[in-house]
Amino acid sequence: MNSRWVQGTLLVEALLAATILGTMLLASAAALGVAYDAIVLGKFQSTASFLLQEELEPLLTVRDSGWANVSANGTYYVAVSGSSWRLTPTATGEVVGDFTRSVTISDVYRNSSGQIVETGGTLDPSTKKAVATVSWQVFLPRSLTSTLYITRYKDNLVWMQTTEAEF
């Protein structure tokens, strides 16, 4: 065989091997970047999920202390006042580290079958819709939301005099 042809073949093989190796390294680096992003996003979502639950759970305690405490529509955040929870009105939400959280309380309407409807229906004075939102603007900005329906019960019931015909 011709030695120049062998040297040329080796050069082509070396270039081909370098190209394949470079492509593999580039793909590996891209995969590591995606994996890192997924890990960090998972951390943010996990923390946001915790903050979301931390915003919703005290609402039941606020409700238990009196229906009037949750009956006003608006945007709030839950805060400790002395030894009890209270709703604090807010326009932007409560900032907790890199996160902003709030809960929006609104009226609930029901259709003639008693089902909750988004539009139309009759106002249910004994149910409120609480939508908690936690958002972040750092690293891949996102938000999580969760909805809780709060109802009157126990000592929060309002006695309403009715007539025999209404039964």
Side-chain angles (χ1 to χ4, degrees):
M1 269 202 191
N2 185 352
S3 73
R4 282 183 32 175
W5 186 81
V6 171
Q7 288 176 348
T9 303
L10 287 175
L11 181 60
V12 169
E13 288 176 356
L15 287 173
L16 184 60
T19 302
I20 291 172
L21 182 62
T23 303
M24 289 175 52
L25 288 175
L26 189 59
S28 296
L32 285 174
V34 169
Y36 175 77
D37 288 353
I39 289 169
V40 174
L41 181 59
K43 177 184 169 199
F44 274 91
Q45 287 179 328
S46 176
T47 303
S49 179
F50 170 76
L51 290 171
L52 200 59
Q53 281 305 112
E54 194 177 61
E55 190 74 4
L56 283 175
E57 288 177 1
L59 283 177
L60 300 178
T61 304
V62 173
R63 182 248 351 240
D64 289 349
S65 65
W67 182 251
N69 296 330
V70 293
S71 64
N73 293 342
T75 302
Y76 303 90
Y77 65 90
V78 181
V80 175
S81 175
S83 62
S84 62
W85 294 99
R86 67 178 167 78
L87 292 177
T88 304
T90 181
T92 58
E94 175 188 24
V95 176
V96 180
D98 292 327
F99 300 88
T100 303
R101 67 180 175 181
S102 63
V103 61
T104 302
I105 296 178
S106 60
D107 290 328
V108 172
Y109 294 86
R110 297 184 183 269
N111 63 17
S112 59
S113 301
Q115 301 295 316
I116 294 174
V117 293
E118 292 297 320
T119 58
T122 304
L123 176 66
D124 180 352
S126 296
T127 306
K128 287 291 189 174
K129 180 180 181 180
V131 178
T133 303
V134 176
S135 61
W136 62 94
Q137 299 303 314
V138 294
F139 189 75
L140 301 175
R142 298 261 196 304
S143 67
L144 294 178
T145 61
S146 184
T147 302
L148 173 70
Y149 287 93
I150 304 169
T151 58
R152 291 185 205 229
Y153 84 111
K154 292 184 180 180
D155 296 332
N156 288 320
L157 294 176
V158 173
W159 181 76
M160 184 182 299
Q161 185 171 356
T162 58
T163 62
E164 191 175 318
E166 290 177 330
F167 288 102

